[in-house]
Amino acid sequence: MPSRFLKFPDGFVWGAATSAYQIEGAWNEDGKGESIWDRFTHTPGKILDGSTGDVACDHYHLWRKDIALMRELGLKAYRFSISWPRILPAGRGKVNQAGLDFYSRLVDGLLKAGIEPFVTLYHWDLPQSLQDKGGWAERSTAEAFVEYADVVSRKLGDRVKRWITHNEPWATAVMGYQMGGHAPGLNDYPASLKASHHLLLSHGWAVPALRRNSPGAGVGITLILFPLVPGPSKIPVLPVFRKFDGYFNRWFLDPLYGRHYPADVVAEHINAGHIPADGLTFVKPGDLEAIAARTDFLGVNYYSPVMLRNKVPPGSDNEPLLLLYHGPKYEYTDIGSMVYPDGLCHLLSRLHFEYQPGKMYVTENGASYSDGPDGDGRVRDRRRLSYLHNHLAAAHRAIGYGVPLAGYFVWSLMDNFEWSFGYAQRFGITWVDYQTQRRIFKDSALWYKQVMAENSLVAPKKSS
Ligand code: FCB
């Protein structure tokens, strides 16, 4: 008889995640410079509900209360990001001491509460002045990132022992430079390929600086990764899977794990005219060695898989380009992501068998559901609770297959500014009333509190 309880390994890191722009507010206080997200949200028409992160969850002022919430939940770890323009308002050069002091106090507060800080250096809020010079499409931005990583880790490296260089370089390069839905809002395919390279390069260059300034620390990078799942498609899936796996996953994983950029994807880009016939001319001697710097862990963000449509969309040249299958068989969250917990187990197992990172953390996983307080003030977010429950069971299954999964961070500690969707999408396990800045633990938070305390969960009736 399988046990009713799924026990996690001793020392498993239970956490919750946020990012600077999504929660801090105080967009122009205490010497902070303008970021590309300030510029983007202040441009009419870019954000669905017309909102900005100017105030967001006002965490810049309420951080002490937020640490108290985390302590009440019993979080073992908190993943947050640092706002680069709060530290270096012009991107390089003059350091804003008030910005550094803010994060230093935050780190002290966390450690005092027994919560381990996991610091992400880049969660998308590039200083606008660097964007004005071309942003990530320019190699000089990778150089600037190393200076920034050095400044931050010199200040915090005695206390922060887990560093994540980048959050989702795919999103920065593709959503920001190719699809335009994220800052800086460009539709420039060649620039997005350069951006992805310079993001990875800046990661590789920053790794030694972080190790130097933070002795004994674990250093890694977080990728958003998409398992590919056969839908009810009549289309032969293998070549299409290979192709999209190349764009979404291998383009980032292969160079990070010392395998160069995938040749099949390079050839596709040449065919499509995104790069010249002589290939990736922006890759300079030594770059690939730098990108493949040894890391201590891989951060994995997983929300939903890519699944083939059952019909080729009209006008798409027989190419099933957008892959999400919408059909009655699956559930979707309020933001339109398919709920597919097995995908997490497939993904972690594949990473383990194919790339063998020494250690992995799920650095984000969660769901957007709009459930708010009922008349009695309680937030009954049953669907989020079940999403988390089933995904944790899938993570547990992966551990059973030998995957070295060392921790899990729910996205997100609290409702926050969801990029181009503004405040309409709520991913938090804590409800935020944006008028009063009141926070209320949702049912999912109370459930998660118990899971963390017991280091185990009840096996779900149906795990996917
Ligand atoms: C991830 C982002 C995070 C949040 C979640 C919902 O891709 O890293 O900031 O927006 O999606």
Side-chain angles (χ1 to χ4, degrees):
M1 263 279 281
S3 158
R4 225 169 74 75
F5 292 97
L6 308 178
K7 171 121 184 54
F8 282 77
D10 290 342
F12 193 75
V13 177
W14 293 103
T18 62
S19 86
Y21 187 75
Q22 293 178 278
I23 64 164
E24 283 180 4
W27 77 280
N28 60 357
E29 275 182 52
D30 295 342
K32 176 180 166 295
E34 187 189 16
S35 82
I36 56 172
W37 273 94
D38 295 318
R39 179 69 63 92
F40 194 69
T41 59
H42 294 160
T43 308
K46 298 291 188 195
I47 307 301
L48 267 181
D49 62 0
S51 62
T52 71
D54 290 3
V55 178
C57 306
D58 200 22
H59 171 78
Y60 187 75
H61 298 112
L62 300 178
W63 61 273
R64 285 188 187 81
K65 286 193 177 149
D66 290 334
I67 291 180
L69 285 182
M70 296 181 218
R71 200 219 285 259
E72 205 179 320
L73 274 183
L75 287 191
K76 305 269 180 296
Y78 173 51
R79 173 178 177 238
F80 63 97
S81 80
I82 293 194
S83 159
W84 184 346
R86 223 183 259 298
I87 306 294
L88 293 147
R92 303 180 94 139
K94 199 175 162 325
V95 173
N96 178 34
Q97 193 58 40
L100 270 182
D101 290 345
F102 168 70
Y103 293 108
S104 187
R105 286 193 297 269
L106 179 66
V107 164
D108 284 344
L110 288 167
L111 292 173
K112 206 165 146 221
I115 300 167
E116 189 181 5
F118 275 58
V119 170
T120 306
L121 286 168
Y122 188 74
H123 201 126
W124 308 353
D125 45 354
L126 188 74
Q128 180 62 41
S129 53
L130 294 180
Q131 191 62 48
D132 295 342
K133 299 189 183 83
W136 288 108
E138 293 299 321
R139 204 173 164 90
S140 55
T141 299
E143 290 158 10
F145 178 79
V146 183
E147 287 174 31
Y148 158 61
D150 182 56
V151 170
V152 173
S153 56
R154 268 192 284 123
K155 175 78 178 181
L156 305 180
D158 54 338
R159 288 155 289 155
V160 170
K161 293 299 169 197
R162 294 288 180 272
W163 296 93
I164 295 168
T165 52
H166 282 282
N167 180 67
E168 303 187 0
W170 176 87
T172 300
V174 175
M175 309 283 286
Y177 288 75
Q178 184 187 319
M179 297 178 13
H182 279 187
L186 304 179
N187 298 102
D188 182 341
Y189 213 122
S192 85
L193 292 176
K194 285 185 202 152
S196 67
H197 179 63
H198 296 141
L199 285 156
L200 291 178
L201 185 60
S202 74
H203 153 82
W205 281 346
V207 169
L210 293 168
R211 290 204 203 286
R212 188 177 62 240
N213 295 335
S214 191
V219 181
I221 186 169
T222 280
L223 302 179
I224 175 99
L225 295 164
F226 302 90
L228 290 126
V229 178
S233 174
K234 302 279 181 300
I235 305 158
V237 289
L238 210 60
V240 188
F241 273 16
R242 177 95 188 131
K243 173 173 168 166
F244 284 96
D245 188 47
Y247 286 153
F248 289 125
N249 303 322
R250 288 183 289 123
W251 189 256
F252 298 91
L253 287 164
D254 279 11
L256 284 169
Y257 288 91
R259 302 182 184 181
H260 205 301
Y261 287 102
D264 57 322
V265 186
V266 175
E268 295 251 7
H269 286 313
I270 294 175
N271 278 340
H274 301 145
I275 44 175
D278 51 348
L280 305 173
T281 48
F282 46 80
V283 178
K284 305 292 178 209
D287 286 5
L288 288 161
E289 290 74 10
I291 291 173
R294 186 185 60 77
T295 48
D296 300 286
F297 62 86
L298 174 67
V300 177
N301 290 358
Y302 173 70
Y303 289 90
S304 59
V306 163
M307 187 174 280
L308 283 187
R309 285 175 191 269
N310 58 344
K311 282 201 197 91
V312 177
S316 67
D317 230 4
N318 275 345
E319 178 99 71
L321 258 186
L322 229 213
L323 302 164
L324 277 188
Y325 167 68
H326 280 257
K329 198 175 152 218
Y330 296 98
E331 272 176 56
Y332 294 85
T333 67
D334 286 352
I335 207 168
S337 300
M338 180 190 294
V339 178
Y340 193 77
D342 273 352
L344 181 57
C345 181
H346 294 171
L347 176 62
L348 292 171
S349 311
R350 182 248 175 127
L351 292 167
H352 175 50
F353 295 124
E354 201 172 328
Y355 294 96
Q356 293 162 353
K359 201 190 263 189
M360 285 187 264
Y361 294 97
V362 172
T363 40
E364 286 180 29
N365 174 240
S368 169
Y369 290 114
S370 58
D371 311 286
D374 288 333
D376 60 358
R378 189 171 144 194
V379 185
R380 295 172 171 80
D381 61 336
R382 189 190 47 77
R383 293 170 298 172
R384 177 175 296 97
L385 195 157
S386 125
Y387 179 102
L388 298 176
H389 197 168
N390 288 325
H391 281 77
L392 276 172
H396 186 270
R397 234 169 19 253
I399 295 173
Y401 297 154
V403 170
L405 184 69
Y408 173 95
F409 291 76
V410 64
W411 183 273
S412 175
L413 173 66
M414 58 185 146
D415 294 335
N416 57 49
F417 178 80
E418 180 47 33
W419 309 113
S420 57
F421 294 92
Y423 295 100
Q425 299 293 338
R426 292 178 176 266
F427 275 89
I429 55 171
T430 308
W431 171 268
V432 175
D433 177 333
Y434 296 109
Q435 301 308 315
T436 61
Q437 292 298 348
R438 188 160 168 234
R439 283 64 159 140
I440 305 171
F441 287 140
K442 301 179 187 177
D443 280 2
S444 57
L446 301 173
W447 168 83
Y448 192 50
K449 175 177 180 169
Q450 197 180 339
V451 170
M452 293 190 284
E454 291 171 359
N455 200 36
S456 77
L457 72 158
V458 177
K461 285 196 193 74
K462 183 170 132 310
S463 68
S464 60

